[in-house]
Amino acid sequence: MPKDFRATTLERAIGRQLAGWRDERQLSLTEAGQRVGFSSAKLSMMENAVQPSAVLDIMALGYVYQVPAEEWQAVVRQAQCAEQARALDNAVLFDPAADFANLVFEATVLRTFTTDLVPALFQLADYAKLVLDDTRFPAQAAVREAWEGRVGGRDPLLVHAVCSEAALRPVVGGPRVMKAQLLHLMEISELDTVSLRVVPFTAGAHPAMGTPFTLLSFAHRQHDDVAYFETFVRGEYVEGAGETEGCARRFAGVGELALGEGESLELIAEAAAEL
């Protein structure tokens, strides 16, 4: 067992699965241990994720419990993934938050929805410094620069941005900073390659409530759509076709509730005038 072992959520899920197999067969720890040749203490530690569950041990339990092959094989794959992750010692091999600016530079179409923040592409430095920590600010600045580098080029990035009215109302950094940010949004909205729309409070519930995301599309046929999600902890790419199609549907659903571009511009101007 690794020194100072701390079970991951995946390892805890594996333990629950092992305990579920035993419970389904109405075996005590002692009875199950005797059948498989484990001590009851070892089996208990596996089920409670007090120690990692070895692949061979899971296979032995699957055989003794007569678990369908596809079921125990799935748990074996989970254990292998957990073992590989632990072997890497949680090393960060690839950081989507740091890489995101590269995808923005390569994309042909970008769809983004934000809940309580101005879309990252359009954040002024004074605004971004107040809503991001020191580790995330450089990455966000790179994203903005990547987009700005595409605005006047021969192959500009098409941006469809939708934000909640909640992104316009908080007075981030005081009236001066927030007003400058809102005026910048109004200026950005005049670009031919940008569609900026707002979901008003009066729209009520919508398909992407509480979940900001960005969906990127690319020119190369071999490059599928990629969805990007970010929290204050980390960024994450989602690349499965079903998942990105789900994001596209949600974005379309939000778009149906958003104001038109002209009405959105009026709402942004109204928010700026109130500062």
Side-chain angles (χ1 to χ4, degrees):
M1 181 171 63
K3 183 179 179 181
D4 195 27
F5 173 73
R6 293 291 187 274
T8 64
T9 51
L10 175 56
E11 287 165 328
R12 292 164 65 182
I14 291 170
R16 286 193 294 272
Q17 182 65 69
L18 300 182
W21 288 348
R22 180 175 58 79
D23 289 341
E24 288 171 3
R25 287 147 185 85
Q26 298 181 334
L27 296 173
S28 67
L29 283 169
T30 301
E31 290 170 335
Q34 288 173 344
R35 292 191 184 190
V36 77
F38 296 166
S39 69
S40 58
K42 174 179 176 176
L43 189 53
S44 175
M45 287 192 290
M46 291 174 62
E47 292 181 358
N48 290 285
V50 178
Q51 70 174 38
S53 293
V55 167
L56 290 178
D57 291 343
I58 294 171
M59 293 173 66
L61 289 171
Y63 175 78
V64 168
Y65 293 154
Q66 296 184 332
V67 175
E70 62 273 13
E71 186 175 340
W72 67 254
Q73 288 169 355
V75 178
V76 164
R77 287 193 294 271
Q78 291 178 334
Q80 290 171 330
C81 289
E83 184 178 1
Q84 291 167 2
R86 192 169 294 285
L88 291 172
D89 195 26
N90 296 318
V92 178
L93 301 181
F94 180 64
D95 182 5
D99 177 72
F100 181 55
N102 295 318
L103 286 194
V104 170
F105 191 78
E106 296 169 358
T108 55
V109 179
L110 184 150
R111 288 166 280 181
T112 186
F113 170 72
T114 60
T115 52
D116 56 356
L117 291 176
V118 168
L121 299 182
F122 310 146
Q123 291 178 9
L124 293 174
D126 286 346
Y127 177 95
K129 287 177 181 177
L130 293 165
V131 298
L132 301 171
D133 58 35
D134 292 341
T135 60
R136 294 167 64 212
F137 179 76
Q140 191 279 339
V143 169
R144 186 175 66 251
E145 291 171 6
W147 170 68
E148 290 174 348
R150 298 286 305 280
V151 171
R154 291 181 298 178
D155 184 25
L157 174 64
L158 300 180
V159 177
H160 300 278
V162 177
C163 67
S164 168
E165 184 178 349
L168 310 178
R169 297 302 183 179
V171 187
V172 175
R176 182 187 64 81
V177 170
M178 192 62 199
K179 188 165 188 173
Q181 178 62 75
L182 293 175
L183 293 176
H184 182 63
L185 288 182
M186 295 173 65
E187 180 181 357
I188 291 298
S189 69
E190 298 296 325
L191 294 172
D192 293 337
T193 55
V194 172
S195 169
L196 176 58
R197 301 169 63 201
V198 179
V199 179
F201 289 140
T202 54
H206 59 75
M209 289 189 74
T211 310
F213 65 93
T214 298
L215 185 62
L216 303 108
S217 300
F218 307 88
H220 294 296
R221 181 171 57 85
Q222 294 86 354
H223 296 173
D224 293 333
D225 287 358
V226 176
Y228 177 70
F229 296 82
E230 185 175 83
T231 67
F232 63 85
V233 177
R234 64 172 63 89
E236 179 182 4
Y237 287 144
V238 172
E239 304 178 61
E243 294 167 314
T244 55
E245 288 169 4
C247 290
R249 287 193 297 271
R250 287 181 180 274
F251 188 83
V254 169
E256 292 176 0
L257 296 174
L259 299 173
E261 293 181 17
E263 292 175 300
S264 296
L265 183 59
E266 291 177 2
L267 185 57
I268 296 170
E270 175 188 306
E274 292 174 357
L275 295 173

